[in-house]
């Protein structure tokens, strides 16, 4: 049986369960993002993103998501948020920046949503 | 014989590291969070533990998806942090306790927990931030105990069940208590509480569920083992699964504990931030 034919998880709206299926799909993208733990790798990416993505074997969907800095598209392409956070770090984006981007809010609106969770 | 004094829990958000670095302790945003720590520091000052077992989840510094251990135990002489992709300051190393690590590793495998042993393990904010909260200036605080990091996988599903996490803690308790030398031990459970960083549901925080978990973990952690992993994702958020670390910590404290201190604040960064001090009774 192909791994894509069997789903272990019931869907949770707005949530991707990063399981074996996603881990296989996103391996190259996540491996590239993992490399960004090192400052030299980050500089190398910024100097020539296309060459760096090619080196890690990203597919077209992953490359385009990176060019667009589109977090939802990176997740759909198999990206795992813990590694994507290191990609975001290159551009000095924090978790409220990427939260706002994914929910279609301004950063201020997103922070207000977080604050309201405490009411 | 080694003795477990109690358990400490805290969230381990990267933004806390920045706030510490910038000294924002009295800033209106941060004060309700930082005010949760002095009572725990006073307790630590009184008891002066020799060893801090820090149960955290690596966030893609120590481990990658090429080899992903479900449970990993540090067995190094020292542990160093790295910049993690964000330029986090490099600290002096945290001193390890490898002879105790190997005793624990032997005991855990004897008890049929087949863990991964790590003679090298770069530690990320999940490990460092709690140390800095409990021992300001860590690792340079003169009372800084030696440490053993234990990391559980919450990066990639399947993650351990809540029951397995609690059982791991129970086995860890037996491992620590069978160490032949006198040693005062505290066990840290770090991470959580509810938060979700990814997807259209980013920014999800669940105060009611966090408070339920903080209540039940004191006297009835077994009740929490009824929560399935998918239910945990749904109710605590995708990264709220870090609550597994609290379950591992709780298992190591024995049946009966006394809650000495507790604090909960929303939001810190994207997270419901919880802090507790649980003291062992026997």
């Amino acid at each position: 049986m192909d791994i894509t034919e069997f789903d272990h998880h019931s869907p949770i709206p707005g949530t991707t369960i990063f399981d074996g299926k996603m881990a296989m799909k996103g391996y190259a993208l996540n491996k590239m993002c993992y490399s960004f733990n090192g400052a030299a790798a980050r500089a190398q990416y910024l100097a020539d993103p296309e060459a760096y993505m090619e080196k890690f074997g990203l597919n077209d969907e992953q490359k385009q998501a990176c060019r667009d800095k589109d977090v939802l598209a990176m997740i759909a392409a198999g990206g795992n948020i813990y590694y994507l956070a290191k990609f975001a770090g290159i551009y000095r984006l924090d978790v409220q920046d990427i939260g706002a981007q994914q929910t279609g809010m301004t950063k201020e609106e997103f922070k207000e949503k977080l604050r309201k969770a405490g009411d | 014989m080694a003795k477990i004094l109690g358990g400490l829990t805290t969230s381990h958000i990267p933004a806390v590291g920045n706030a510490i670095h910038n000294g924002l302790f009295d800033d209106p945003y941060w004060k309700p969070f930082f005010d949760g720590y002095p009572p725990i520091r006073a307790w630590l000052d009184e008891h002066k533990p020799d060893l801090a077992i820090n149960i955290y989840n690596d966030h893609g510094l120590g481990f990658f998806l090429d080899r992903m251990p479900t449970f990993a135990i540090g067995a190094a002489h020292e542990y160093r942090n790295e910049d993690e992709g964000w330029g986090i300051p490099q600290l002096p190393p945290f001193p390890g306790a490898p002879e105790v690590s190997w005793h624990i590793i032997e005991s855990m495998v004897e008890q049929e927990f087949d863990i991964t042993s790590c003679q090298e393990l770069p530690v990320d904010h999940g490990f460092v931030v709690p140390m800095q909260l409990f021992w300001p200036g860590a690792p340079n605080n003169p009372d800084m105990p030696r440490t053993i990091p234990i990391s559980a996988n919450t990066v990639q599903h399947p993650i351990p069940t809540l029951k397995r996490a609690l059982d791991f803690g129970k086995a860890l308790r037996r491992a620590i208590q069978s160490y032949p030398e006198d040693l005062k031990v505290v066990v840290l459970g770090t991470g959580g509480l509810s938060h979700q960083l990814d997807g259209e549901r980013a920014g999800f925080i669940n105060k009611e569920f966090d408070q339920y978990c903080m209540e039940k973990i004191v006297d009835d952690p077994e009740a929490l083992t009824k929560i399935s992993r998918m239910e945990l994702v749904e109710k605590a958020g995708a990264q709220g699964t870090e609550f597994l670390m609290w379950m591992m910590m709780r298992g190591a404290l024995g049946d009966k504990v006394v809650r000495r201190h507790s604090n909960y604040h929303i939001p810190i960064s994207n997270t419901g931030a919880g802090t507790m001090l649980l003291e062992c009774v026997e």
Side-chain angles (χ1 to χ4, degrees):
Chain A
M1 188 169 72
D2 192 288
I3 192 167
T4 57
E5 289 170 16
F6 186 78
D7 198 340
H8 294 266
H9 313 297
S10 52
I12 299 169
T15 305
T16 301
I17 300 297
F18 188 86
D19 58 5
K21 196 160 65 178
M22 296 308 289
M24 290 178 75
K25 186 178 185 183
Y27 193 78
L29 171 60
N30 290 317
K31 190 169 180 179
M32 181 183 82
C33 292
Y34 177 69
S35 77
F36 296 147
N37 276 310
R42 302 198 291 274
Q44 213 182 334
Y45 178 84
L46 279 172
D48 190 349
E50 294 299 326
Y52 201 82
M53 289 193 286
E54 194 58 40
K55 186 171 104 179
F56 280 85
L58 271 63
N59 63 30
D60 290 342
E61 183 191 2
Q62 292 165 341
K63 285 179 181 172
Q64 194 55 45
C66 291
R67 289 181 200 117
D68 295 341
K69 306 182 191 64
D70 181 340
V71 178
L72 288 177
M74 292 172 93
I75 291 168
N80 176 296
I81 195 66
Y82 288 124
Y83 306 110
L84 298 184
K86 299 173 194 300
F87 176 89
I90 293 180
Y91 299 102
R92 298 276 155 211
L93 300 172
D94 65 26
V95 288
Q96 277 103 50
D97 291 310
I98 63 173
Q101 188 202 87
Q102 294 175 96
T103 53
M105 296 180 188
T106 66
K107 189 172 184 179
E108 282 316 306
E109 285 166 351
F110 186 74
K111 286 168 94 165
E112 180 61 14
K113 168 189 155 82
L114 294 167
R115 199 199 57 74
K116 277 192 178 146
D119 292 344
Chain B
M1 299 293 277
K3 183 174 191 280
I4 303 172
L5 303 176
L8 319 176
T9 74
T10 177
S11 302
H12 58 213
I13 307 149
V16 172
N18 290 331
I20 291 171
H21 189 67
N22 296 316
L24 302 178
F25 308 109
D26 292 318
D27 177 274
Y29 180 90
W30 288 101
K31 192 170 171 21
F33 171 77
F34 284 119
D35 281 354
Y37 294 87
I40 300 181
R41 288 184 206 133
W43 183 87
L44 287 168
D45 197 42
E46 184 187 334
H47 293 280
K48 297 216 179 354
D50 306 301
L51 178 69
I53 296 182
N54 186 330
I55 302 173
Y56 75 110
N57 56 291
D58 178 76
H59 305 73
L61 177 72
F63 304 110
F64 179 58
L65 303 174
D66 56 344
R67 305 171 188 94
M68 180 55 71
T70 296
F71 295 111
I73 301 181
H77 288 276
E78 59 181 32
Y79 302 93
R80 291 175 184 273
N81 78 328
E82 291 182 15
D83 90 6
E84 296 186 45
W86 313 307
I88 291 174
Q90 187 92 55
L91 301 172
F94 288 81
E99 75 289 6
V100 189
S101 289
W102 284 110
H103 173 84
I104 290 172
I105 290 164
E106 288 279 359
S107 175
M108 294 303 285
V109 176
E110 175 73 28
Q111 296 179 71
E112 300 179 343
F113 272 90
D114 303 318
I115 54 78
T116 298
S117 59
C118 306
Q119 290 202 60
E120 288 188 52
L121 180 58
V123 288
D124 71 11
H125 64 273
F127 172 95
V128 171
V129 166
M131 295 303 209
Q132 293 179 320
L133 286 166
F134 294 129
W135 292 276
N140 294 329
N141 186 309
D143 289 333
M144 183 74 221
R146 295 198 294 157
T147 184
I148 298 172
I150 297 180
S151 178
N153 163 41
T154 55
V155 169
Q156 166 182 275
H157 290 266
I159 60 173
T161 64
L162 285 92
K163 178 178 184 301
R164 187 65 170 162
L166 188 67
D167 287 347
F168 183 102
K170 290 176 184 175
L172 178 63
R173 178 175 180 79
R174 290 187 285 270
I176 296 166
Q177 287 183 325
S178 64
Y179 190 70
E181 289 175 29
D182 287 341
L183 208 57
K184 292 183 287 183
V185 181
V186 289
V187 182
L188 277 58
T190 90
L193 290 166
S194 61
H195 65 301
Q196 177 154 342
L197 304 177
D198 51 341
E200 294 86 349
R201 204 169 73 124
F204 174 80
I205 294 177
N206 188 342
K207 182 179 178 178
E208 196 184 331
F209 183 70
D210 287 347
Q211 289 177 337
Y212 172 80
C213 290
M214 288 181 77
E215 191 57 42
K216 283 291 173 193
I217 202 163
V218 181
D219 292 323
D220 192 11
E222 303 292 341
L224 297 168
T225 64
K226 307 289 185 284
I227 299 168
S228 76
R229 289 166 294 170
M230 284 306 113
E231 195 182 351
L232 186 62
V233 173
E234 189 176 6
K235 291 188 171 167
Q239 285 72 45
T241 53
E242 294 174 347
F243 182 66
L244 287 171
M245 312 308 134
W246 292 45
M247 292 294 281
M248 291 164 71
M249 175 280 311
R250 180 61 187 86
L253 304 186
D255 291 340
K256 186 113 184 69
V257 297
V258 176
R259 173 173 41 199
R260 290 283 176 216
H261 180 66
S262 178
N263 190 50
Y264 180 72
H265 178 67
I266 295 175
I268 287 301
S269 189
N270 290 25
T271 305
T275 305
M276 293 182 98
L277 165 57
L278 302 176
E279 194 175 77
C280 294
V281 172
E282 71 256 34

